[in-house]
Amino acid sequence: MSAIDAGRPVFLVGFMGSGKSSVGRALAARLGWVFADTDSLVEFASGRTIETIFRESGEGRFRELEWEALRAFERVERVVVATGGGSFLGVLPRAFMKREGVTAWLDVPLEVAYARSASEQGRPLWKTDDPVAFRVFFERRRAVYALADVRVDASHGMPEDVAARLEHALRH
Ligand code: S3P
């Protein structure tokens, strides 16, 4: 039985600007499942924007809050979860997602992520003042995203198209 047939949560992972929220919403609509977004849950639970959390409390505190938000999906079924671009990097969150559900990587080249994140507002780790360092950061992360159960090329097509390809990959 596929993960979808079993109702196991789908955790979308990938770089900032890879389309996790828009594709996640489209996939949830296709399946008739609930959509959730850990960034929004963190903001809701803390009453602060991500930018403010980073500025006032630092990235470490943000990662704790993100991990707490993720743990809400323990033993939950039929939900598509868009995760923040850094959460899959953590050993515990990664193991949790793999145990509780199926992980899907939305793979995009850095140029596409750039184009989609033309406005850097609200993404404290989106730092392009040093393009070489940013590419190294991107490539390091790709190596970890590659540990996801399923990979989908999210560089082209509307979110609905990517969601359709993703559903196919998750069912086969
Ligand atoms: C982050 C990505 C952001 C958000 C935070 C940190 C990261 O989410 O969680 O700014 O470490 O890549 P998106 O991937 O939705 O932009």
Side-chain angles (χ1 to χ4, degrees), residues 10-160:
V10 176
F11 294 100
L12 299 184
V13 307
F15 205 68
M16 296 170 269
S18 59
K20 295 173 299 246
S21 297
S22 49
V23 172
R25 244 182 236 108
L27 180 65
R30 286 182 72 84
L31 299 173
W33 290 13
V34 166
F35 170 73
D37 178 331
T38 58
D39 284 347
S40 302
L41 291 173
V42 166
E43 292 189 329
F44 181 73
S46 65
R48 293 189 292 173
T49 64
I50 289 173
E51 211 177 356
T52 307
I53 298 168
F54 267 75
R55 196 178 59 246
E56 292 181 349
S57 312
E59 182 176 351
R61 179 65 189 138
F62 172 73
R63 296 298 169 206
E64 286 172 6
L65 294 169
E66 184 176 49
W67 177 212
E68 275 171 30
L70 196 61
R71 283 197 308 244
F73 298 100
E74 192 164 3
R75 286 190 293 273
V76 169
E77 293 186 346
R78 297 164 62 88
V79 59
V80 177
V81 185
T83 67
S87 64
F88 197 63
L89 283 296
V91 174
L92 292 179
R94 187 163 70 241
F96 175 88
M97 290 185 233
K98 283 185 157 267
R99 187 183 74 229
E100 293 294 324
V102 59
T103 54
W105 170 30
L106 300 191
D107 189 13
V108 293
L110 185 53
E111 292 66 29
V112 172
Y114 264 129
R116 291 191 188 152
S117 302
S119 143
E120 299 151 31
Q121 293 273 317
R123 284 185 166 123
L125 294 183
W126 187 268
K127 294 194 186 109
T128 50
D129 45 323
D130 183 345
V132 176
F134 198 62
R135 180 164 288 281
V136 170
F137 174 66
F138 176 79
E139 294 299 341
R140 285 217 180 103
R141 281 187 165 202
R142 277 194 95 236
V144 183
Y145 297 143
L147 300 172
D149 303 304
V150 168
R151 170 192 168 275
V152 68
D153 177 356
S155 64
H156 61 279
M158 300 295 287
E160 290 73 20

